[in-house]
Amino acid sequence: MLEVGRLSVSYGKHRAVEDVSLCVAKNEIVVILGANGGGKTSLLRAIAGLQPALGGASVRLSGRALAGAPAHHIVEAGLALVPEGRGIFGELTVHENLMLGAYARRARGAEAANRRRVLDLFPRLAERIKQQARTMSGGEQQMVAIGRALMSAPDFLLLDEPSLGLSPLLCSALFAALARIRDAGIGILLVEQNARRSLAIADRGYLMENARIVGEGSADSLRHDPAVQRAYLGVGGGRDH
Amino acid sequence: MLIEAALSGLILGGMYALVAMGLSLQYGVARIMNLSYGELLVAASFSAWALFTGAAVNPLAGLLAVVPAAFAASWLVYRLLLAPLVRRARTRDALEVDTILATFGLAFVVQGVMLGFFGGAYYSYGYLAVPVKILGATVAVNRLIALGVAVAIGLALYFGLTRTRAGTAVRAVAVDPESARLVAIDVRATAGFAFALGGALVAAGGVLVSMFLTFNANLGVLFTMKALIVVIMGGVGNLLGALIAGLLLGLTETFVATWVDPGLTLAATYSLFLLVLLARPQGLFGGSGR
């Protein structure tokens, strides 16, 4: 279980994340929906240890307290982030990116098995294994980013807008891959603009607006919530309230 | 004559390349522009001299003592002097200014200590200064050994950085420090390691150079400048570029000294540097951007 409690982030006087609490279980995809600039990226970065959270926040991974720990400890504890913009090592090859994914000590033992799983999930990467990552298409780079995160043998995977810039076809492949990752026992926390597709594979969801969580529910109930439909699913239009 | 000059140029260039690779590691990975770099080279030369004349330890055996000592000393400098600057720097530019000032000061301290011990006189010692004939050219054995050791160290570094996980992690920090944190790399520890490794390389260069060049306590700045020129010419962070640029510089200097005028070597160095900067500001092998 990944539990986040009372997490706030601020940049100077601007409060980007305000008192957010949420949880993700293993075998579960949880999506955070919300408008751009709503604090979703800051929230994920703070959970992953890239961005300091304000005092009083708690991040617990299977009961282990991680708030304030440096990013590399958090990866060792079993949480991997696929950041906005992918964050792959563009100058390095696909092989090197995956090898570095298994840099964490927790990942070394099962490296070969994890590599097989990643290449099985994204056969395209096997074909391009010696290619420099920055010369690949956006969809392939996203596969490298997710593959690299999976190489660290995470219990929980955080993804920030993974479908950004992908064609509809690649999007479908991506979300199918996420469902397979979940079925392998990994908990997924997903930030997405594409509410329709992400609710289709998610188990639960949170709504985030102006730095706060303003609603939550099962994916099913969110899909049928008129307010969610208006705001995120483009149903009914925004003019007639 | 031509072969003799080319051989001398290659040997000198090999030294430049080795020394520049270390600076490239310190700047490219640890993001420290180390202006006390050449001082460590001279300190290593003096150490090799002291070991040879005082304890009859030959410089090749001396490498085994001097290089690890330089690694440890550089690591300490990073942890005690530079890590606090890294921690407080808000931007990369701010860090650059801070580290340039700090290492500039350190250069004077190290230089002052060496002047105190050795004065301003030139030092040298004779180890295997035996001439041999290669392709009709006469070279001293110690120079050939120096080149051989430099090549071996350069190859070991290249394969270490490209073929091992730890080396790939070092390159990952150079490419993208934030993403490196996301794959559980301890960026600060890796930067300290790269800085120390750079120090070990320049110390190796100092020991090798002392086998066939005279040196004094004021020579550090010259080596810092040359290493800087080679790194910039080769493209910042590019080890292969540093190798080619180092060889190019060594050959140019030797050819100018042989056929034009030994007094013009520095002028030749800077002319070549300017030429490269005008034609390819990103360096011979630098990518686009910085």
Side-chain angles (χ1 to χ4, degrees):
Chain A
M1 187 77 123
L2 168 66
E3 298 157 283
V4 175
R6 313 213 55 170
L7 189 145
S8 301
V9 175
S10 60
Y11 301 99
K13 287 205 173 121
H14 171 66
R15 190 59 66 92
V17 177
E18 178 88 61
D19 211 17
V20 165
S21 300
L22 56 81
C23 65
V24 183
K26 284 193 166 190
N27 289 308
E28 184 180 45
I29 295 182
V30 175
V31 61
I32 304 176
L33 300 175
N36 263 337
K40 304 187 300 298
T41 292
S42 299
L43 172 64
L44 290 195
R45 287 174 56 85
I47 295 172
L50 289 179
Q51 175 74 40
L54 297 182
S58 79
V59 175
R60 303 181 77 80
L61 199 75
S62 313
R64 204 170 140 195
L66 288 177
H72 60 275
H73 285 179
I74 291 177
V75 181
E76 288 284 4
L79 188 147
L81 169 67
V82 177
E84 194 179 19
R86 306 182 186 117
I88 57 174
F89 301 111
E91 310 290 314
L92 307 187
T93 64
V94 172
H95 166 75
E96 288 170 332
N97 270 277
L98 295 183
M99 178 172 81
L100 285 174
Y103 188 82
R105 273 186 301 279
R106 68 177 276 124
R108 300 278 172 93
E111 183 175 0
N114 281 331
R115 195 182 146 97
R116 270 197 303 277
R117 268 171 53 191
V118 166
L119 296 182
D120 183 46
L121 192 62
F122 303 118
R124 193 93 180 128
L125 295 186
E127 296 163 24
R128 305 264 160 135
I129 200 79
K130 292 205 165 144
Q131 195 168 333
Q132 207 178 28
R134 71 174 159 81
T135 64
M136 301 170 78
S137 74
E140 290 166 343
Q141 289 190 16
Q142 191 59 260
M143 293 175 197
V144 174
I146 296 173
R148 190 185 71 185
L150 289 175
M151 288 300 289
S152 72
D155 296 324
F156 292 91
L157 186 61
L158 273 49
L159 299 110
D160 195 349
E161 304 274 6
S163 76
L164 203 68
L166 300 192
S167 70
L169 200 66
L170 280 171
C171 242
S172 304
L174 172 77
F175 283 108
L178 292 184
R180 281 180 68 189
I181 293 167
R182 178 231 355 238
D183 297 340
I186 295 173
I188 294 180
L189 180 60
L190 178 68
V191 159
E192 255 298 331
Q193 292 281 313
N194 194 331
R196 189 180 302 276
R197 280 175 188 274
S198 49
L199 281 177
I201 58 155
D203 300 285
R204 290 189 302 117
Y206 292 91
L207 307 179
M208 193 168 176
E209 261 169 37
N210 299 321
R212 292 173 178 278
I213 298 288
V214 295
E216 63 173 291
S218 72
D220 216 34
S221 67
L222 288 176
R223 255 198 312 269
H224 296 104
D225 182 329
V228 173
Q229 290 182 338
R230 254 199 318 278
Y232 304 112
L233 298 174
V235 178
R239 264 167 285 172
D240 56 351
H241 58 266
Chain B
M1 187 78 161
L2 174 70
I3 292 171
E4 208 151 296
L7 213 50
S8 303
L10 275 183
I11 291 164
L12 190 62
M15 300 302 122
Y16 288 157
L18 179 66
V19 168
M21 281 180 185
L23 190 69
S24 191
L25 270 181
Q26 291 194 340
Y27 187 56
V29 181
R31 320 265 159 172
I32 304 285
M33 177 46 72
N34 180 6
L35 291 188
S36 66
Y37 193 66
E39 261 58 42
L40 187 53
L41 183 146
V42 178
S45 296
F46 275 117
S47 305
W49 173 86
L51 283 171
F52 186 77
T53 56
V57 177
N58 81 55
L60 296 178
L63 277 175
L64 300 180
V66 175
V67 170
F71 183 93
S74 297
W75 188 81
L76 279 177
V77 164
Y78 183 83
R79 295 299 297 196
L80 300 179
L81 179 70
L82 301 171
L85 301 182
V86 174
R87 233 171 283 138
R88 76 171 195 206
R90 290 180 177 277
T91 65
R92 189 167 170 183
D93 290 340
L95 178 63
E96 210 145 286
V97 172
D98 281 358
T99 54
I100 283 174
L101 290 174
T103 56
F104 196 41
L106 182 64
F108 283 112
V109 173
V110 177
Q111 193 186 33
V113 169
M114 288 193 297
L115 278 170
F117 273 104
F118 300 100
Y122 277 88
Y123 285 72
S124 66
Y125 58 92
Y127 171 69
L128 286 183
V130 191
V132 283
K133 282 218 172 259
I134 293 183
L135 303 168
T138 315
V139 210
V141 171
N142 55 22
R143 290 181 182 242
L144 288 178
I145 291 175
L147 180 63
V149 174
V151 168
I153 292 175
L155 283 176
L157 180 71
Y158 179 77
F159 286 112
L161 286 179
T162 53
R163 301 290 159 86
T164 68
R165 192 196 309 268
T168 309
V170 168
R171 287 190 294 140
V173 172
V175 173
D176 188 341
E178 178 160 296
S179 293
R181 300 168 68 192
L182 288 178
V183 295
I185 294 171
D186 184 340
V187 170
R188 226 168 262 169
T190 306
F193 171 76
F195 189 84
L197 193 59
L201 285 176
V202 75
V207 172
L208 295 178
V209 161
S210 75
M211 288 165 59
F212 60 91
L213 287 184
T214 58
F215 51 92
N216 78 357
N218 295 316
L219 229 51
V221 181
L222 198 68
F223 281 108
T224 304
M225 285 302 140
K226 287 201 177 156
L228 212 54
I229 286 176
V230 171
V231 166
I232 294 170
M233 280 203 326
V236 171
N238 188 326
L239 289 183
L240 203 63
L243 176 70
I244 308 272
L247 291 177
L248 204 59
L249 194 65
L251 286 170
T252 309
E253 286 191 358
T254 313
F255 284 151
V256 168
T258 309
W259 283 296
V260 188
D261 184 338
L264 286 178
T265 50
L266 261 188
T269 302
Y270 286 99
S271 310
L272 180 66
F273 180 49
L274 282 178
L275 220 66
V276 169
L277 275 193
L278 283 175
R280 282 186 69 82
Q282 71 276 41
L284 292 172
F285 298 90
S288 52
R290 46 192 319 130

